[in-house]
Amino acid sequence: IYEQQFGDVYRRVLLLGVSIADAEDVVQRVFMVAYEKALAGVDVEYPAAWLRGITMRIVSEHRRWWRVRRAKAWLLRTSEELAREHTTPERDTEALETLRQVREVLEMMSRKLKDVLVLVELEGCSSREAADALGSPLNTVRSRRRLAREKFAVLWREHFHGEDNDV
């Protein structure tokens, strides 16, 4: 599971706002909790969904710890993702700028809306998977998804003057 899921968990941790300096520690904590649960005999039917739930809880704990000590920082995508893509310096620069803008808008959103938006829109989870990962009712996740998309669009237009109509 570790080898198959490490990249996804690492990316998810970054998308949820953990700084690059703390991301590896948080990811390792996710896999330690998963390992402890596996040793305790937890039966895992869907490892990816199971790890999403653990990741959400570990990141939530990290946020509580981090808020006490310093402001959270957002991060660009991992070098592993860049290596997998066929890129040019121009594409990299454009992608990094777009990611910076997306992170900036996400920072302005409430945690509840941001979590749903990241899981459903960026991670490609179904609403049911997001509800399970967040421990929220399915209809709550659906409502937050709609609200999050509307809020993101408004903030994007306000801060980037509608520079990209694709958002």
Side-chain angles (χ1 to χ4, degrees), residues 29 31 41 45 56 71 78 90-91 97 107 149:
R29 179 74 182 127
F31 284 104
E45 189 173 347
M56 296 304 292
T78 67
E90 294 80 17
R91 281 187 189 167
E97 178 60 18
E107 284 180 356
R149 291 180 84 182

Side-chain angles (χ1 to χ4, degrees), residues 43-85:
D43 186 31
V44 180
E45 189 173 347
Y46 302 105
W50 181 61
L51 284 173
R52 272 189 216 108
I54 293 172
T55 301
M56 296 304 292
R57 285 186 291 281
I58 297 298
V59 168
S60 179
E61 290 172 10
H62 176 76
R63 282 186 188 135
R64 283 191 296 272
W65 178 85
W66 190 253
R67 272 193 297 269
V68 172
R69 285 144 188 91
R70 355 178 190 156
K72 64 182 174 179
W74 287 92
L75 177 58
L76 303 174
R77 65 183 148 156
T78 67
S79 60
E80 181 180 300
E81 288 178 303
L82 289 173
R84 283 188 291 202
E85 298 175 4

